[in-house]
């Protein structure tokens, strides 16, 4: 179905005003979810007990969702959940909302409150998963529960896919759900997953927040570098050891940035659509990238977050060598986590890495790799993008600019390219540089009003997806 139609209002029919009792219950439900330590360490090492408890928990706090006759619930890969919400109009193509229940580890050190306490203080709910990504999971189910309690019957069918191993590849959750839906011949109008946010304070001189919907995500390579040498007595060391050779190799990688790819990929589109938010002369500079591109690209390189948008990044994340204080080590290993710019491929980046290392004593083992994800449409006919934009403008009227961008991290949505060409990664939350650092870091927290707004966003989004769409007005005409 296209974006044009008649007979149904564009505005949500059911107002997203929640009672004090409902608002209390929704924050308590999120706190309970944070207290279940669903930590993923590796694909083989997830907290099965916690994941099973989490499955019971969502059934308890969202009873209507799990007993409604037009909603089918399936458990996939033991701990992931797929909900099929059958809409009343089978002619409308279904869509899918996504989130994940697992979290990265959080040792207590450095946290203001224990990371799995779900404590409320200063208007915030604290804990691992409050931003990544139990907030989304709980908000999706909460919004649906509230709609069902108001006797809402969706017109457009939709799926809710809740992975349990996103933080360690998604191979047992999202990948299996994707295969199941493919076997059922499902094609989706679009997908909405975690990813980018309403960004505030990331760009110097840009005082106003703007929403960035990720229409692609970077590719990735996890690469193991290994050097093997003959072991021996440390009292008569050789000129070079496996540790020294490997350390020099990884240091060369760290000191040699991958090429700046500014000008290729969706970033140019992002900056051009953002240009009018800046005052003179930045607005002119960003509107004339054909002339000022080199200047903007150099400025972006200076900051470590915007740098990640202009090039492939190489992060040295693990290093292991040595067996005893007086033994020349036989083997040294390092892991490099590479995030590939949308204009490059796995093979191109591997070739560059080998050229930079330029030492045939270093062996390369690709552990995992995938290319950057295709760019989803963001034009006026792109249903998912326009529904997100429309809902952002309704829930966050102070946010005047919505732009397409790329996600520098990876999401479970990459496993669903077989079902749709329209994948959008967006969390309806404000993100500041400090809260960005808390994701996978310490003191992750969400404000109670921000969580309520996230629920409200999904509550309206589901209704907006059911309304016939008029062609979206051009952004600058609003
Ligand atoms: C000009 C505009 C400036 C824009 C600044 C951009 C600010 C960045 C905003 C948000 C980025 C947050 C990314 C969060 C999503 C990442 C989800 C995640 O943690 N994914 C893991 C999962 C993974 C994937 C594959 C294997 C293992 C784990 C990850 O990417 O590591
Ligand atoms: Zn996540
Ligand atoms: Zn994460």
């Amino acid at each position: 179905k296209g974006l044009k139609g008649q007979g149904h209002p564009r505005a949500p029919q059911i107002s997203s005003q929640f009672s004090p009792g409902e608002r209390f219950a929704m924050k308590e439900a999120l706190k309970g979810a944070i207290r279940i330590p669903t930590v993923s360490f590796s694909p083989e090492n997830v907290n099965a007990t916690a994941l099973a408890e989490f499955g019971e928990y969502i059934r308890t706090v969202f009873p209507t969702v799990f007993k409604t006759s037009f909603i089918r619930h399936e458990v996939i890969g033991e701990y992931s959940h797929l909900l099929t919400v059958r809409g009343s109009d089978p002619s409308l193509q279904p869509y899918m909302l996504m989130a994940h229940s697992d979290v990265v580890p959080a040792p207590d050190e450095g946290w203001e409150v224990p990371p799995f306490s779900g404590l409320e203080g200063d208007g915030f709910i604290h804990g691992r998963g409050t931003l990544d990504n139990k907030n989304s999971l709980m908000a999706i189910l909460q919004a649906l529960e509230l709609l069902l309690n108001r006797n809402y019957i969706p017109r457009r069918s939709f799926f809710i896919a809740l992975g349990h191993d996103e933080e360690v590849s998604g191979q047992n959750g999202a990948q299996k759900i994707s295969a199941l839906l493919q076997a059922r011949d499902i094609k989706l109008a679009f997908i909405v997953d975690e990813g980018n946010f309403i960004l505030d304070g990331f760009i110097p001189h840009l005082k106003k927040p703007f929403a960035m919907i990720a229409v692609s995500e970077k590719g990735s390579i996890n690469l193991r570098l290994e050097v093997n040498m003959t072991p021996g007595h440390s009292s008569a060391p050789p000129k070079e050891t496996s540790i020294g050779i490997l350390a020099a190799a990884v240091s060369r990688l760290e000191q040699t940035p991958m090429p700046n790819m500014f000008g290729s990929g969706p970033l140019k589109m992002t900056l051009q659509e953002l240009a009018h938010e800046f005052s003179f002369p930045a607005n002119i500079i960003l509107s004339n990238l054909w002339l000022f591109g080199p200047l903007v690209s150099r400025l972006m390189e200076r900051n470590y977050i915007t740098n990640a948008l202009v090039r492939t990044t190489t992060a040295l994340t693990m290093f292991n060598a040595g067996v005893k204080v007086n033994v020349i080590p036989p083997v040294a290993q390092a892991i490099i986590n590479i995030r590939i710019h949308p204009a490059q491929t796995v093979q191109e980046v591997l070739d560059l890495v080998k050229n930079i290392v330029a030492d045939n004593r270093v062996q390369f083992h690709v552990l995992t790799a995938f290319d950057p994800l295709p760019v989803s449409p963001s034009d006026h006919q792109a249903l998912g993008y326009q529904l997100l934009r429309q809902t952002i403008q309704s829930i966050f009227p102070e946010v005047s600019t919505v732009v397409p961008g790329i996600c520098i991290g990876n999401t479970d949505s990459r496993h669903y390219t077989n079902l749709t060409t329209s994948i959008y990664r967006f969390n309806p939350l404000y993100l500041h540089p400090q809260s960005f650092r808390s994701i996978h870091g310490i003191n992750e927290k969400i404000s109670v009003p921000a969580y309520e707004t996230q629920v409200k966003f999904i509550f309206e989004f589901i209704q907006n997806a059911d309304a016939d769409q008029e062609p979206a007005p051009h952004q600058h005409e609003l």
Side-chain angles (χ1 to χ4, degrees):
K1 284 268 164 168
L3 289 177
K4 211 167 180 163
Q6 286 171 357
H8 282 266
R10 295 192 70 194
Q13 288 169 305
I14 303 178
S15 139
S16 51
Q17 294 293 320
F18 306 134
S19 71
E22 287 170 334
R23 291 171 58 201
F24 181 78
M26 71 173 75
K27 74 174 177 176
E28 293 306 309
L30 178 62
K31 290 181 197 173
I34 300 302
R35 289 188 195 113
I36 306 172
T38 49
V39 176
S40 288
F41 292 94
S42 70
E44 301 72 38
N45 185 2
V46 296
N47 187 340
T49 314
L51 288 169
E53 186 186 340
F54 196 85
E56 291 306 314
Y57 181 73
I58 54 176
R59 288 173 175 90
T60 309
V61 288
F62 304 117
T64 318
V65 169
F66 288 90
K67 68 160 200 250
T68 290
S69 59
F70 56 81
I71 300 180
R72 176 181 180 187
H73 172 229
E74 294 164 278
V75 175
I76 315 288
E78 290 191 84
Y79 308 110
S80 286
H81 299 268
L82 174 65
L83 293 149
T84 306
V85 182
R86 191 162 31 82
S88 59
D89 185 347
S91 72
L92 298 173
Q93 194 177 19
Y95 65 98
M96 184 154 86
L97 302 177
M98 293 179 57
H100 62 90
S101 58
D102 63 323
V103 295
V104 292
D108 279 353
E109 289 74 38
W111 283 74
E112 288 161 8
V113 301
F116 296 103
S117 61
L119 279 174
E120 186 179 345
D122 301 332
F124 284 83
I125 298 168
H126 295 249
R128 176 61 86 228
T130 48
L131 295 174
D132 179 16
N133 178 244
K134 285 178 175 166
N135 55 320
S136 297
L137 187 151
M138 295 299 284
I140 292 169
L141 296 177
Q142 184 69 72
L144 181 56
E145 179 83 7
L146 288 164
L147 280 169
L148 296 170
N149 287 341
R150 286 155 171 74
N151 298 317
Y152 188 76
I153 300 176
R155 287 177 69 205
R156 188 185 289 274
S157 296
F158 62 100
F159 297 91
I160 298 176
L162 309 174
H164 72 275
D165 60 349
E166 188 275 345
E167 296 293 1
V168 288
S169 78
Q171 66 192 50
N172 290 313
Q175 248 182 58
K176 288 188 176 162
I177 296 176
S178 167
L180 178 72
L181 292 178
Q182 181 166 358
R184 289 178 183 165
D185 277 334
I186 302 292
K187 286 286 175 201
L188 298 169
F190 63 87
I191 286 176
V192 180
D193 194 7
E194 65 170 335
N196 283 7
F197 294 82
I198 297 171
L199 300 170
D200 197 5
F202 284 86
I203 305 183
H205 310 299
L206 183 58
K207 298 282 171 275
K208 280 170 73 183
F210 63 98
M212 192 195 253
I213 300 172
V215 292
S216 178
E217 58 187 74
K218 291 180 97 175
S220 159
I221 309 173
N222 281 313
L223 188 62
R224 189 174 77 222
L225 270 54
E226 187 170 306
V227 177
N228 289 276
M229 299 292 279
T230 312
H233 201 291
S234 60
S235 58
K239 196 163 166 276
E240 289 179 292
T241 61
S242 55
I243 293 181
I245 295 165
L246 187 61
V250 296
S251 175
R252 279 196 293 282
L253 277 175
E254 203 167 55
Q255 297 301 317
T256 318
M258 291 284 156
N260 184 327
M261 305 301 291
F262 184 90
S264 332
L267 180 61
K268 248 179 147 172
M269 180 168 66
T270 306
L271 295 176
Q272 275 156 357
E273 293 199 21
L274 207 52
H276 71 276
E277 283 286 307
F278 289 82
S279 47
F280 181 81
N283 55 348
I284 302 298
I285 291 173
L286 291 173
S287 304
N288 292 283
L289 291 175
W290 60 273
L291 179 62
F292 296 111
L295 170 72
V296 176
S297 105
R298 272 201 306 280
L299 291 173
M300 290 193 75
E301 284 181 319
R302 288 197 193 166
N303 167 283
Y304 72 103
I305 297 174
T306 47
N307 179 54
L309 297 174
V310 300
R311 59 162 42 88
T312 294
T313 55
T314 45
L316 317 179
T317 51
M318 297 171 87
F319 201 98
N320 198 11
V323 288
K324 193 173 183 301
V325 287
N326 58 355
V327 174
I328 297 297
V331 55
Q333 294 180 329
I335 306 282
I336 321 286
N337 180 253
I338 299 171
R339 305 293 178 138
I340 307 172
H341 185 277
Q344 290 178 309
T345 63
V346 168
Q347 197 49 56
E348 284 165 9
V349 171
L350 283 175
D351 291 344
L352 284 166
V353 166
K354 288 177 186 170
N355 278 336
I356 293 166
V357 169
D359 185 337
N360 56 19
R361 294 168 299 180
V362 180
Q363 297 164 17
F364 298 88
H365 304 268
V366 176
L367 304 178
T368 58
F370 54 90
D371 283 325
L373 276 290
V375 178
S376 301
S378 56
D379 58 82
H380 292 172
Q381 299 304 310
L383 177 64
Y385 189 87
Q386 294 304 337
L387 284 171
L388 281 169
R389 194 171 71 80
Q390 177 190 338
T391 314
I392 291 167
Q393 285 170 345
S394 161
I395 301 290
F396 303 97
E398 71 285 7
V399 175
S400 52
T401 301
V402 179
V403 294
I406 60 163
C407 187
I408 57 176
N410 293 119
T411 70
D412 259 354
S413 69
R414 73 181 187 281
H415 298 299
Y416 293 91
T417 50
N418 52 336
L419 306 182
T420 182
T421 52
S422 301
I423 300 181
Y424 304 103
R425 303 135 186 104
F426 178 71
N427 299 297
L429 289 176
Y430 275 82
L431 189 78
H432 308 98
Q434 194 186 341
S435 37
F436 173 69
R437 282 187 284 273
S438 76
I439 299 175
H440 291 204
I442 58 170
N443 298 323
E444 189 179 346
K445 61 184 177 183
I446 190 168
S447 80
V448 174
Y451 180 62
E452 283 179 8
T453 304
Q454 185 165 11
V455 175
K456 198 170 155 178
F457 184 94
I458 298 159
F459 188 92
E460 278 204 14
F461 185 88
I462 292 172
Q463 295 186 69
N464 288 339
D466 282 344
D468 285 331
Q469 302 292 308
E470 300 297 331
H474 191 268
Q475 222 167 324
H476 302 293
E477 290 164 8
L478 290 173

